[in-house]
Amino acid sequence: MLPRKRRSWAEPYKMKMVELLKTTTRQQRQRAIQKAGYNTFLLPSEDVYIDLLTDSGTNSMSDQQWSAFMLGDEAYAGSKSYYKLEAAIHKYYGYKYIIPTHQGRGAENILSQIMIKKGQYVPGNMYFTTTRVHQELAGGKFVDVIIDEAHDPTSLHPFKGNVDLQKLEDLIRKQGADKIAYLTLASNVNMAGGQPFSMENLKALRKLTSRHGIPIIHDMTRVAENAYFIQQREKAYAKKSVREIVREICSYTDGATMSAKKDALVNIGGFMATNNAEVFEEARNLVVVYEGLHTYGGLAGRDMEAMAVGIQESLDDNHQAARIGQVVYLGEKMQSFGIPIVLPIGGHGIFVDAKSFLPHIPQDHFPAQALAAEIYVDSGVRTMERGVVSAGRKPNGENYFPKLELVRFTLPRRVYTQAHMDVVAESTAAVYERRMRIRGLRMVYEPKYLRFFQARFEKA
Ligand code: PLI
């Protein structure tokens, strides 16, 4: 029996349409993962039962979004839908100028080309794969300035996404502020396990960067989830709404890149935003080279309509309570089975610590990659590696060996039920019981860029 005081949360929506799932046998899955080179990105989704590969573009849209879809103005230039999106971004995020892009990395490409001069440093609160590759392609050097606790899966620090101001000051002192293009501040840091920064840290960061004339570029892909954690964990914000907190976060930053495929509840889309008229002017020039005209940037009118509504829905407190409530439900269930996960439980998924799950597999035999493959074989649940494969190679060709070697169980928004979470946790527990029999992998094909998407492996 539950203690009487405990009250459950529930989803603030009901279902109107469902998508049927296929189940497969263990033998079929064994064949499928071998054919996919032990890379879950190379599995056909038809062979997947519960898809926790990513929360990117995998969200369910609401009836309001689908009806907005039908209002899409597909004019090549000056689409009405663009102006609706622009108005939503002004209203909810507050940035002055916006450039729509087909997704987040489209915005990262344009922004990096404009704001980074060859040889400049780009500090950030942990790397993200696509963000760093665009910084490097533009001639920049990424420097990790996140607090040390972020690299420790067991640290219970409530704001593991915080910037270590001392690390940033040291970089400024050593290299000079003019050698720093800007600082990338990601909300709810993906690679750390969906971990937020605090408003207190952001305010201090704003003071420090303003003193040195260094812009803050906000990777706002999961800003509403970060805002929810601020509301829950930072006393001064307990009575503020997610919407108010998001607006305040944006107000301390100079521009942003956004993959709307996450927080903003759409299947495709993104944008770049800036408060700087010169940066905007250059971005308007560049977007036509890579994405499309500045009033659609690679999107259909209907995509921009759905995004404008999705932004608004993402800022609802009840939506975030249910979204993160589901992540916590899965995490607590895994903990009850003794499975080592990144703590505190983050915003967009559960990150299993593959180093302690599979202590007998050295990092150069890709423990997280091997574990993701095993979980798929056990139950058809698709997860992904976030460790040495994702980290890739340094510009000098050496492998990065990140401290965190994780398997990400990412929850799409408004897609799966609590019963699906039970199946996922029980499958992971079954694999945990026979963990010592799991073998590592060796990489037999390595693509040049973002290797985790297409690399192939064999059993070591
Ligand atoms: O996948 P894009 O190009 O829309 O967005 C790139 C991107 C930028 N920043 C952050 C923090 C991301 O998480 C991100 C994409 N993430 C993916 C695809 C993911 O599976 O986490």
Side-chain angles (χ1 to χ4, degrees), residues 61-364:
M61 292 211 297
S62 67
D63 53 353
Q64 300 295 316
Q65 286 178 289
W66 280 112
S67 52
F69 219 60
M70 298 307 291
L71 301 176
D73 173 6
E74 305 305 344
Y76 189 94
S79 159
K80 282 185 281 192
S81 310
Y82 164 77
Y83 293 107
K84 281 191 203 164
L85 175 62
E86 186 189 42
I89 294 170
H90 285 163
K91 179 171 173 186
Y92 296 114
Y93 301 144
Y95 294 114
K96 259 194 202 153
Y97 309 108
I98 73 140
I99 298 276
T101 56
H102 75 285
Q103 57 184 82
R105 70 200 73 179
E108 290 169 346
N109 174 32
I110 293 170
L111 183 113
S112 304
Q113 287 200 38
I114 295 170
M115 293 192 63
I116 301 173
K117 290 196 208 88
K118 204 167 173 353
Q120 277 189 317
Y121 294 90
V122 191
N125 55 345
M126 202 172 265
Y127 84 101
F128 183 71
T129 54
T130 59
T131 319
R132 188 179 65 195
V133 90
H134 281 298
Q135 291 167 352
E136 288 173 352
L137 287 170
K141 287 182 218 156
F142 172 79
V143 183
D144 189 5
V145 292
I146 203 165
I147 57 171
D148 287 341
E149 286 88 340
H151 293 280
D152 173 3
T154 62
S155 160
L156 294 176
H157 194 294
F159 291 106
K160 285 165 104 173
N162 279 356
V163 171
D164 184 328
L165 301 177
Q166 194 56 53
K167 284 186 192 169
L168 181 59
E169 281 203 71
D170 290 348
L171 180 73
I172 298 170
R173 197 170 329 109
K174 197 161 155 215
Q175 305 296 345
D178 56 335
K179 285 278 278 179
I180 296 175
Y182 56 87
L183 176 133
T184 311
L185 181 74
S187 22
N188 245 37
V189 181
N190 191 351
M191 303 303 279
Q195 303 292 331
F197 56 71
S198 69
M199 196 72 89
E200 189 189 6
N201 183 252
L202 174 55
K203 284 184 191 167
L205 178 68
R206 177 71 286 177
K207 265 200 196 139
L208 172 63
T209 50
S210 294
R211 234 180 20 245
H212 295 280
I214 298 169
I216 300 178
I217 298 299
H218 179 199
D219 179 345
M220 60 183 300
T221 296
R222 297 182 181 85
V223 63
E225 290 169 9
N226 197 123
Y228 180 75
F229 282 121
I230 288 177
Q231 184 193 65
Q232 298 299 308
R233 296 179 187 169
E234 212 168 337
K235 239 185 173 167
Y237 290 86
K239 295 230 157 62
K240 298 239 182 203
S241 65
V242 166
R243 182 174 155 177
E244 288 169 309
I245 298 170
V246 163
R247 187 68 204 246
E248 186 174 338
I249 291 173
C250 295
S251 76
Y252 300 130
T253 68
D254 301 291
T257 55
M258 170 64 148
S259 169
K261 300 170 72 172
K262 285 84 166 171
D263 248 15
L265 295 164
V266 286
N267 303 121
I268 194 72
F271 60 83
M272 187 199 120
T274 177
N275 294 333
N276 181 317
E278 280 170 39
V279 171
F280 176 58
E281 186 54 32
E282 279 197 60
R284 257 162 61 108
N285 278 308
L286 268 189
V287 72
V288 295
V289 180
Y290 292 107
E291 302 280 318
L293 195 68
H294 62 280
T295 55
Y296 75 84
L299 295 172
R302 53 183 171 266
D303 299 324
M304 294 189 281
E305 292 277 348
M307 202 197 299
V309 177
I311 288 171
Q312 185 195 331
E313 289 180 1
S314 76
L315 303 179
D316 176 55
D317 286 28
N318 291 329
H319 164 68
Q320 288 303 339
R323 189 304 183 260
I324 293 175
Q326 189 177 45
V327 177
V328 171
Y329 179 85
L330 174 60
E332 288 181 348
K333 191 114 198 174
M334 288 213 192
Q335 281 185 295
S336 75
F337 293 126
I339 297 162
I341 63 171
V342 172
L343 294 172
I345 292 169
H348 63 302
I350 296 304
F351 291 66
V352 168
D353 180 4
K355 273 189 190 167
S356 54
F357 197 113
L358 300 172
H360 57 291
I361 302 183
Q363 200 172 13
D364 59 359

